[in-house]
Amino acid sequence: MSVQDRKERERAERERLIVATARELAEQQGWDAVTTRRLAERIEYSQPVLYSHFRGKREIIGAVALEGAAEMAAAVRAAASGAKGPRERVAALARAYLDFAEHNPAVYDALFQLDGGLAYAQEDTPEPLKDAFAALLECLAEVAGDGVHPGMFTEVFWAALHGLATLTRAGRLLPEDAEPRVELLVDRLAMV
């Protein structure tokens, strides 16, 4: 291995460490606790080293969001692939999405609540974000209905899931009614 290859590998490992540490800190204490000073202390590198990877917290949030988008897409696809029939696939997708939001609140916030400097629904949208939407679209397109654009149906279904996730996390909805809400969403919106 050349010196250049080794340096690139070390740089990539350091970047992964920064993102993992930011994510861990945000999940434990919230995004307000994630500062470049605290990250530098935790990863045992100086702040200038951290800044050589990311210009600031905003880019770190963006990196966490991209990682989270890939994980969410994988979770949705895995859940939907094990289901039989359109109704079961849509219900599995909804449960996987809501489970992801519940078990990864800081990542979910990085994806959908915080400014990570990422473009959404644009030509320059990063591939992991496009793929996360594609994971939803793959399952929901088959139930969009006649004359309904599958992408628009997916946006509306996603918005409903996001609303459920956000309101539940904020304590505005009773957690014990989560499953009946999924059933209602699947039966009435997806109509399967």
Side-chain angles (χ1 to χ4, degrees), residues 169-187:
R169 279 186 51 206
R172 304 296 197 274
L173 299 176
L174 295 173
E176 59 267 20
D177 290 338
E179 186 58 27
R181 282 188 207 98
V182 167
E183 296 296 321
L184 180 64
L185 183 63
V186 172
D187 290 340

Side-chain angles (χ1 to χ4, degrees), residues 64-137:
V64 170
L66 293 176
E67 188 176 271
E71 292 172 9
M72 187 176 71
V76 164
R77 283 187 175 112
S81 72
K84 294 180 173 77
R87 187 190 190 293
E88 289 76 18
R89 276 192 293 282
V90 174
L93 172 147
R95 287 185 199 101
Y97 183 97
L98 295 170
D99 286 347
F100 182 87
E102 179 185 351
H103 293 102
N104 303 281
V107 174
Y108 193 82
D109 287 347
L111 269 164
F112 302 120
Q113 306 288 79
L114 302 174
D115 179 9
L118 303 172
Y120 285 78
Q122 306 293 322
E123 286 295 318
D124 60 341
T125 298
E127 214 39 58
L129 298 178
K130 289 179 181 179
D131 188 54
F133 184 78
L136 300 175
L137 181 62

Side-chain angles (χ1 to χ4, degrees), residues 11-89:
R11 180 172 176 74
E13 288 172 7
R14 217 174 19 251
E15 193 165 301
R16 280 191 297 275
L17 177 62
I18 293 166
V19 172
T21 303
R23 182 177 175 167
E24 178 183 318
L25 187 57
E27 292 292 1
Q28 291 171 352
Q29 300 176 29
W31 278 105
D32 287 342
V34 179
T35 64
T36 53
R37 174 175 286 157
R38 189 172 282 163
L39 283 175
E41 289 171 2
R42 284 209 174 188
I43 65 171
E44 298 178 346
Y45 283 99
S46 68
Q47 282 183 290
V49 169
L50 194 139
Y51 283 116
S52 74
H53 290 274
F54 299 100
R55 287 183 287 207
K57 183 176 175 177
R58 181 178 185 220
E59 285 189 4
I60 295 169
I61 290 169
V64 170
L66 293 176
E67 188 176 271
E71 292 172 9
M72 187 176 71
V76 164
R77 283 187 175 112
S81 72
K84 294 180 173 77
R87 187 190 190 293
E88 289 76 18
R89 276 192 293 282

Side-chain angles (χ1 to χ4, degrees), residues 120-180:
Y120 285 78
Q122 306 293 322
E123 286 295 318
D124 60 341
T125 298
E127 214 39 58
L129 298 178
K130 289 179 181 179
D131 188 54
F133 184 78
L136 300 175
L137 181 62
E138 289 162 11
C139 183
L140 295 170
E142 71 179 320
V143 298
D146 293 338
V148 177
H149 187 278
M152 187 175 292
F153 179 79
T154 300
E155 290 171 346
V156 171
F157 197 90
W158 171 32
L161 289 174
H162 177 70
L164 290 174
T166 303
L167 291 169
T168 300
R169 279 186 51 206
R172 304 296 197 274
L173 299 176
L174 295 173
E176 59 267 20
D177 290 338
E179 186 58 27

